[in-house]
Amino acid sequence: MVEFKEDVSIVLGGAAGQGIQTVEEILTRVLKLSGYNVYANKEYMSRVRGGINTTEIRVSSKKVRAFVRRIDILIPFKRGVLPWVEKRLTENTVVLGEKENVEEEYLSRVNFVEVPLNEMAKEVGSPLYLNTIAAGVVVGLFHGDFEALEEYLRKRFGSKGEEVVLKNIEAARKGYELGVKLCEEGTIGIEVKRDENVKKEILLSGTEAVALGAVAGGMNFLSFYPMSPSTGVAVFSAQHAEDFEIIVEQVEDEIAAINMALGAWFAGARGMVTTSGGGFALMSEALSLAGMAENPVVIHLAQRPGPATGLPTRTMQGDLNLVLYSGHGEFPRIVLAPGSIEEAFYLTAEAFNLADKYQVPVIILTDQYFVDTYYNLPELDLSKIKVEKYIVESDEDYKRYKLTEDGISPRSIPGYGKGVVVANGNEHDEWGDITEDEELSRLMQEKRAIKKLETIRKNAMMPELVGREDAKYVIVAWGSTYHVIREALEVLNREDVAFLHFKWVYPLPEKVEGLLEGKVIIDIEQNVTAQFAELLKKEFGLEIHHKILKYDGRPFSVEEILDALKGVLE
Amino acid sequence: MISPLIFEPERPGSKDIAWCPGCGNFGIRNILRSAFAELNLRPQDVVIISGIGQAAKMPHYINVNGYHTLHGRSIPIATAVKAANPSLTVIAEGGDGDMYAEGGNHLLHAIRRNPDITVLVHDNQIYGLTKGQASPTTMLGMKTPTQPWGVFEEPFNPIALAIALDASFVARTFMGYFKESVEIIKKAIQHKGLAIVDIFHPCVSFNKVNTYEWYREHTYWMKDHNPYDREEAFKRAIESDPLPLGVFYIHEKPTFEEQVPAYKRDKTPLWRRKSKLEEIGKILEAKRTF
């Protein structure tokens, strides 16, 4: 008998088009409704059918929010899955499924439990019920809430008619009973605590958090060109565009996308684009226009490995330098990188206030790992959302680029007030008209690149400190690695190791230096050249003592971080 | 009626006009001022989004809202301005290089999207600001510093292209005909949907072929032309010498702003709206179950 306690990692693997996503959806929802904490993340190939895609679902007694390498229960839907996940198999791994889907050489390495999923599906009436049966088996292993499963199936297949619903419920029951039996006869033992409160919680993905945060922050115009892994934000926004009464437009290219977003802001709306590194590269011209014209804009960039098309469906934090230095000429920008789903929601909403207030591009950096992750969370507090608008009514002699102490000129919009608004991507005078005047050119450069930047820096958010301020070691990381590092630190359990997580990546507040001075700094990033470490060095002259880097297109796992930290710490 | 003088900018930077003496852009500016005045438009409610080039300097020499943007990018920006606030009169303005070369893709897709904006193309068949290179509309055989052997690429036919794509309003004028041009631009602005006006105008510095006289001699006004007949419009569009002037084609159809979900129930411009927190609340509630 193989026993799992407190925390079980279940991986489903199969070809694209085999319905892995469906099983993932059923399991996460039904297990959460049964009172279990859940976490899910997927990895997939850049193809429509075939290949091998996997999904990891963690079911736990307490909140789980990070990717683990180990697989406790593996359900392969085709041959090739076991070799694909070979490095993640342990001596405890239970493989549930059919013999034909397991290569012989693995039979001795894993605990194979033969489950005739296909045969059971045929008994119900069609091989199509395979996914529902598999989901039923897993829910059964956890003695999950069968009513919730039934209700889910009704909702999901309701539009296909009563017969399909009933067949699916029958399939689910067969699977469920088998799952329960596997436990009762002692093949698999699972001990994970349930929590009544979890049942009422929200299950949300990184993608949904960004999209909902944007709408909460007043986004009413989204222009985009489809590109993995950023498209989900557009899909979600488009599907709710009528409820939100917003414009979501798929345009001819990324160049049009960002220019439209600029136009939307120029006219007073709140525009966003959602893209990935390759798309953002095309946007750099308009980013520069945003800088010069002091046109607010919000950009969501879901990173994937480059250069060029790189690994289109995989993850990396390789575009920090791109967003920091993209665009010709010198102008400020704000770079944000949420670490949790909650943070993605609040930070994306806040991005719109920041863009409006400082009249600069605000870039939200996520990545494939982050957008494709979801887990349960208690709730999102909508009362925390403050939509701050900074648009002023113009008078007759309105000056769009009035020189001010803090570098921020009051921004009016066409049609609001007695004046006209002239914005300009050429160097300009205070009214917005072209100038080649020496003095004005200098003043305008300083206004944008010095005064405004300093105003933003003064108001920048500090990183979150996890652990003790006087710890000898401090880990620095940004964005999506937050929970993986936190979980690794919990396991490590050392008081002399603290963690600074940067959700506000640029410009960095001056006080950051004080938190890092005299410490042994360990930089953790998912890129080859430690881009954030370079930024810290550039901004504060800080030497980074250790770098833990990963760049194979896969997310850091808790185990990897833990191993790497152990290697670095004395 | 509003006086054209209210469209004369009083800003200090607007006095130093960068156009060459005798440039056709001056005439287009006067045509625009008269058209705006005759339509009783207020400066505050008009927006000119321009690209890059001499034509694109228009926002600085006329008293309306303006945004001088990037080469070829005026159309997507103008589209969004109109979508964000449909009560504005929105004009995208640029030269033949701006609209037909660098911004060509945006023009194609704007025709498909059909926002209610007016695209004014100052077509002098040459690149002026960069000193005389061939543009997409430069005539075959013309020698330039960068085409010393003479242009051999087929000139772009914006009128035929727009009709082929079933654009909403397609016209051509020569700015040397003031009154007629004012009328055409008024019609273009009043037209609901994307209106494209190709405006011939000489570049007195770099195009020695297509002069004021040349345009007078090589153009004619279409009479008894039915702009609602697409085939007839297309036949006119491919005439090459003399070139027809006037409204070639009108196809009334729903605009972009009319079709987006944002304005189905509520006509308030986007900038006056509040975020839909209650809708977000509903979605989050649903996330507690399935």
Side-chain angles (χ1 to χ4, degrees), chain A residues 64-271:
Chain A
V64 270
R65 302 180 150 200
F67 176 71
V68 288
R69 188 176 50 200
R70 67 158 216 280
I71 298 174
D72 294 329
I73 298 172
L74 176 68
I75 305 179
F77 283 89
K78 66 176 280 199
R79 259 180 185 250
V81 171
L82 275 101
W84 183 247
V85 299
E86 183 162 4
K87 288 180 187 161
R88 302 176 60 188
L89 301 173
T90 72
E91 55 189 23
N92 281 329
T93 303
V94 172
V95 176
L96 272 182
E98 276 145 331
K99 226 174 195 157
E100 64 192 56
N101 293 333
V102 182
E103 286 79 357
E104 281 221 345
E105 62 263 40
Y106 293 95
L107 288 174
S108 56
R109 287 181 51 190
V110 297
N111 305 289
F112 179 60
V113 177
E114 194 169 4
V115 179
L117 297 174
N118 268 315
E119 204 178 298
M120 289 163 75
K122 274 182 211 147
E123 278 170 30
V124 179
S126 157
L128 287 173
Y129 300 112
L130 183 80
N131 292 327
T132 309
I133 290 173
V137 172
V138 177
V139 177
L141 288 175
F142 287 86
H143 295 82
D145 184 346
F146 190 80
E147 271 175 40
L149 179 53
E150 207 177 317
E151 204 186 321
Y152 177 85
L153 295 170
R154 280 192 182 285
K155 200 160 174 181
R156 183 168 180 113
F157 298 107
S159 60
K160 294 187 176 172
E162 188 61 11
E163 208 201 319
V164 176
V165 171
L166 291 176
K167 285 282 182 191
N168 271 288
I169 292 173
E170 189 190 333
R173 190 176 298 281
K174 270 183 180 287
Y176 189 89
E177 283 165 0
L178 179 64
V180 171
K181 196 178 131 210
L182 289 173
C183 290
E184 281 171 357
E185 69 188 20
T187 310
I188 303 174
I190 288 179
E191 254 188 74
V192 180
K193 283 186 213 69
R194 300 190 202 207
D195 178 351
E196 276 302 305
N197 294 320
V198 168
K199 293 184 183 178
K200 285 180 242 122
E201 291 192 348
I202 297 163
L203 199 56
L204 208 62
S205 71
T207 291
E208 291 165 333
V210 169
L212 286 168
V215 177
M219 178 192 81
N220 41 36
F221 190 100
L222 178 75
S223 37
F224 73 100
Y225 186 84
M227 186 169 186
S228 295
S230 68
T231 317
V233 169
V235 173
F236 185 88
S237 303
Q239 286 177 352
H240 294 282
E242 294 203 17
D243 305 328
F244 295 142
E245 299 189 300
I246 59 173
I247 296 176
V248 178
E249 179 69 356
Q250 181 182 319
V251 299
E252 55 271 27
D253 54 30
E254 283 88 351
I255 297 171
I258 187 160
N259 279 290
M260 278 197 189
L262 292 184
W265 277 97
F266 175 68
R270 288 191 156 192

Side-chain angles (χ1 to χ4, degrees), chain B residues 169-273:
Chain B
F169 181 100
V170 186
R172 180 160 61 203
T173 187
F174 163 48
M175 50 65 63
Y177 300 119
F178 183 81
K179 271 190 194 163
E180 293 85 346
S181 295
V182 170
E183 286 312 308
I184 283 181
I185 286 178
K186 276 163 64 185
K187 274 186 198 159
I189 290 172
Q190 283 178 304
H191 176 80
K192 187 172 72 74
L194 186 82
I196 300 167
V197 187
D198 188 65
I199 310 169
F200 282 143
H201 78 106
C203 172
V204 293
S205 298
F206 291 107
N207 187 337
K208 304 298 181 194
V209 176
N210 308 108
T211 60
Y212 283 92
E213 294 74 36
W214 189 93
Y215 284 119
R216 281 201 192 88
E217 283 165 17
H218 293 270
T219 59
Y220 78 100
W221 288 98
M222 293 183 282
K223 299 225 167 60
D224 305 319
H225 170 64
N226 174 12
Y228 295 92
D229 183 336
R230 192 171 174 205
E231 272 185 47
E232 193 55 37
F234 197 80
K235 278 182 196 158
R236 291 292 178 114
I238 56 176
E239 289 178 17
S240 55
D241 195 9
L243 293 149
L245 300 176
V247 177
F248 284 78
Y249 184 56
I250 296 173
H251 177 217
E252 276 148 16
K253 52 184 173 179
T255 66
F256 176 63
E257 310 80 63
E258 280 174 341
Q259 296 181 93
V260 292
Y263 294 114
K264 289 246 158 77
R265 291 183 291 257
D266 184 355
K267 304 292 175 205
T268 316
L270 298 182
W271 73 276
R272 286 196 185 275
R273 296 190 185 191

Side-chain angles (χ1 to χ4, degrees), chain B residues 272-285:
Chain B
R272 286 196 185 275
R273 296 190 185 191
K274 290 201 165 74
S275 61
K276 296 261 179 189
L277 288 181
E278 69 284 4
E279 290 297 330
I280 295 171
K282 278 186 211 164
I283 289 171
L284 291 176
E285 273 313 304

Side-chain angles (χ1 to χ4, degrees), chain A residues 209-362:
Chain A
V210 169
L212 286 168
V215 177
M219 178 192 81
N220 41 36
F221 190 100
L222 178 75
S223 37
F224 73 100
Y225 186 84
M227 186 169 186
S228 295
S230 68
T231 317
V233 169
V235 173
F236 185 88
S237 303
Q239 286 177 352
H240 294 282
E242 294 203 17
D243 305 328
F244 295 142
E245 299 189 300
I246 59 173
I247 296 176
V248 178
E249 179 69 356
Q250 181 182 319
V251 299
E252 55 271 27
D253 54 30
E254 283 88 351
I255 297 171
I258 187 160
N259 279 290
M260 278 197 189
L262 292 184
W265 277 97
F266 175 68
R270 288 191 156 192
M272 181 166 97
V273 295
T274 181
T275 190
S276 298
F280 185 85
L282 286 171
M283 296 180 180
S284 77
E285 177 202 38
L287 192 80
S288 196
L289 173 64
M292 177 54 115
E294 304 193 43
N295 197 323
V297 67
V298 175
I299 300 156
H300 168 239
L301 193 167
Q303 300 166 96
R304 67 188 216 190
T309 325
L311 287 163
T313 62
R314 307 214 171 260
T315 201
M316 204 144 141
Q317 295 182 309
D319 294 334
L320 177 59
N321 283 340
L322 175 71
V323 300
L324 283 173
Y325 307 114
S326 177
H328 50 291
E330 296 161 288
F331 59 94
R333 64 199 77 195
I334 296 172
V335 181
L336 309 172
S340 68
I341 286 174
E342 289 94 328
E343 208 162 82
F345 177 76
Y346 297 119
L347 208 56
T348 306
E350 184 59 17
F352 289 83
N353 293 336
L354 295 168
D356 198 340
K357 185 175 182 182
Y358 300 119
Q359 304 164 33
V360 293
V362 180

